[in-house]
C-alpha cells in the first residue's frame, strides 16, 4: 500500500480516540521513556493497534504512541515511547512512518532523542548533546522508493535539517537551567554492533562527535515533510574507552542524564503554552 494511504489509515485510527491537534511530536529513545510521566495521556496506541506499524515481537514491545497534554501547561503533544530501528530488520520507510503520522496529525516541531556513543574526546558518558548536523552512514535512506508529491519534495534540501532557531532556544533553556549542553555532528550507522577501533578513528576523521543507530532516518523524513526538527543525544559511552561497551551500561547512563534532558524538553514545551 502507498505511503499516503498508510499514513491516512494511522491517522484515522488515532482520530477515532483523540481529536486534538498536537503542537509537538517527541520520539523517546533508549532509556528515555520516563518522559511520558510528564504527559497526561488521553489516548495511547500500542504498535499492534496502529496499521502498518511493525508488529510487536517477544523481544520488543516498544513503539507505543501516546497522545495527550503536558501536565505543566496542557500543551497537546504526541509521543512515541521507543522507536523502530533499521537493525531490527525494518525497512527505513517503515521505521519513519511514526514521523509521517505525527506530521499528518499537525505537529509543528519534532523532537528526537537518542542514546549514542561519544566520538568527541571532550564528551563524557552522561553528557547531553544537541545534534547540529548529521552524516548518514546507515547505507540506506527512508526516501528511497516510489515517490508521491503529497509526501513533500523528491529531493529535499538538508542544509538546515536541525532547525537553527529552535537550536538557539534549546541552548538558552539549558543555560537558564544551568545544564551543560554539548553540540555536535551525529553519525548514523546501521548497527547493531558497536564500532571497531578503526571505524571510530574513521568516524572522528570525517567530523563526527556522536555515533548512534537511529534518529537520522526520522530527521530526513521530517525534512521532507517540512517539519522543524530538534534532536538530542545522551552520550552513554565514550568511544575512547578500552573497556568493552555493554548495552546495560548504555541504558543505565541514559537514565542518569534523563532528568536534565527532561528539564530542557519541558522548557521547550513551555513555549507552546496557550
Ligand atoms: N555506537 C553506536 N551506537 C550507540 C553507541 C555506540 O557507541 N552507544 C549507544 N548507541
Amino acid at each position: 500500500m502507498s505511503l499516503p494511504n498508510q499514513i491516512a489509515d494511522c491517522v484515522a485510527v488515532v482520530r477515532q480516540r483523540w481529536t486534538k491537534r498536537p503542537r509537538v511530536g517527541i520520539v523517546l529513545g533508549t532509556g528515555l521513556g520516563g518522559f511520558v510521566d510528564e504527559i497526561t495521556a488521553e489516548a495511547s496506541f500500542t504498535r499492534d493497534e496502529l496499521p502498518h506499524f511493525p508488529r510487536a515481537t517477544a523481544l520488543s514491545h516498544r513503539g507505543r504512541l501516546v497522545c495527550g497534554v503536558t501536565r505543566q501547561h496542557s500543551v497537546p503533544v504526541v509521543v512515541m515511547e521507543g522507536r523502530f530501528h533499521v537493525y531490527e530488520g525494518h525497512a527505513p520507510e517503515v521505521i519513519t512512518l511514526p514521523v509521517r503520522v505525527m506530521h499528518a496529525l499537525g505537529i509543528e516541531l519534532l523532537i528526537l532523542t537518542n542514546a549514542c556513543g561519544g566520538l568527541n574526546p571532550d564528551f563524557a558518558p552522561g553528557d547531553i548533546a544537541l545534534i547540529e548536523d548529521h552524516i548518514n552512514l546507515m547505507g540506506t535512506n527512508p526516501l528511497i522508493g516510489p515517490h508521491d508529491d503529497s509526501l513533500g519534495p523528491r529531493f529535499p534540501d538538508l542544509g538546515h535539517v536541525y532547525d537553527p532557531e529552535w537550536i538557539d532556544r534549546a541552548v538558552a533553556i539549558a543555560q537558564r537551567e544551568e545544564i551543560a549542553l554539548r553540540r555536535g555532528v551525529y553519525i548514523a550507522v546501521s548497527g547493531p554492533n558497536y564500532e571497531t577501533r578503526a571505524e571510530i578513528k574513521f568516524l572522528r576523521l570525517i567530523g563526527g562527535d556522536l555515533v548512534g543507530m537511529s534518529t537520522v532516518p526520522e530527521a530526513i523524513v521530517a525534512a521532507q515533510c517540512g517539519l522543524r526538527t530538534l534532536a538530542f543525544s545522551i552520550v552513554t559511552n565514550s568511544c575512547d574507552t578500552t573497556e568493552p561497551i555493554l548495552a546495560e551500561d548504555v541504558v543505565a547512563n541514559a537514565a542518569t542524564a534523563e532528568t536534565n534532558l527532561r528539564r530542557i524538553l519541558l522548557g521547550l514545551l513551555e513555549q507552546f503554552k496557550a
Side-chain angles (χ1 to χ4, degrees):
M1 186 190 279
S2 75
L3 261 180
N5 287 336
Q6 293 183 28
I7 298 162
D9 284 351
C10 289
V11 169
V13 167
V14 172
R15 285 306 181 212
Q16 278 166 15
R17 283 163 50 193
W18 197 63
T19 53
K20 288 185 183 151
R21 177 180 175 156
R23 308 284 311 269
V24 183
I26 305 169
V27 178
L28 298 174
T30 305
L32 300 165
F35 188 75
V36 288
D37 296 346
E38 305 292 342
I39 312 293
T40 306
E42 295 172 335
S44 107
F45 303 85
T46 66
R47 52 198 282 184
D48 286 337
E49 289 175 300
L50 291 161
H52 318 294
F53 272 46
R55 295 298 129 227
T57 63
L59 286 178
S60 180
H61 297 276
R62 291 166 301 112
R64 209 164 56 117
L65 193 74
V66 179
C67 303
V69 296
T70 59
R71 288 193 199 281
Q72 263 190 358
H73 300 292
S74 300
V75 177
V77 292
V78 54
V79 178
M80 267 292 285
E81 205 184 358
R83 56 154 62 83
F84 309 117
H85 300 87
V86 166
Y87 64 72
E88 293 169 285
H90 307 303
E93 70 271 20
V94 171
I95 63 170
T96 48
L97 181 61
V99 171
R100 294 198 187 277
V101 172
M102 288 177 171
H103 170 250
L105 290 171
I107 64 166
E108 296 153 54
L109 175 69
L110 175 68
I111 303 178
L112 302 169
T113 66
N114 67 52
C116 74
L119 295 165
N120 186 322
D122 294 338
F123 293 7
D127 280 355
I128 303 174
L130 194 52
I131 300 179
E132 291 189 309
D133 207 345
H134 75 227
I135 298 175
N136 179 14
L137 289 190
M138 279 192 162
T140 188
N141 187 301
L143 309 186
I144 293 174
H147 181 64
D148 184 302
D149 278 336
S150 72
L151 298 172
R154 165 90 277 193
F155 304 105
D157 179 58
L158 293 196
H160 294 289
V161 62
Y162 305 97
D163 189 76
E165 274 176 37
W166 279 103
I167 286 178
D168 287 348
R169 285 181 197 151
V171 168
I173 290 163
Q175 270 167 2
R176 187 188 75 200
E177 300 279 327
E178 297 184 336
I179 298 166
L181 186 60
R182 309 281 194 179
R183 300 166 73 152
V185 172
Y186 177 97
I187 301 185
V189 293
S190 72
N193 58 273
Y194 296 122
E195 294 65 40
T196 66
R197 280 175 297 155
E199 285 165 346
I200 290 165
K201 197 170 162 189
F202 166 73
L203 296 174
R204 283 193 179 131
L205 259 171
I206 64 169
D209 297 296
L210 307 154
V211 57
M213 306 172 194
S214 69
T215 304
V216 162
E218 291 137 319
I220 292 172
V221 163
Q224 187 185 48
C225 293
L227 278 172
R228 290 172 181 257
T229 300
L230 263 185
F232 295 92
S233 287
I234 284 181
V235 179
T236 53
N237 55 279
S238 165
C239 295
D240 249 344
T241 176
T242 45
E243 297 290 313
I245 301 171
L246 302 174
E248 302 78 60
D249 294 347
V250 168
V251 175
N253 286 330
T256 314
E258 195 208 350
T259 325
N260 283 337
L261 183 52
R262 196 186 275 228
R263 281 160 58 206
I264 298 176
L265 296 187
L266 288 175
L268 289 163
L269 290 165
E270 189 182 350
Q271 313 216 355
F272 289 89
K273 74 179 173 197

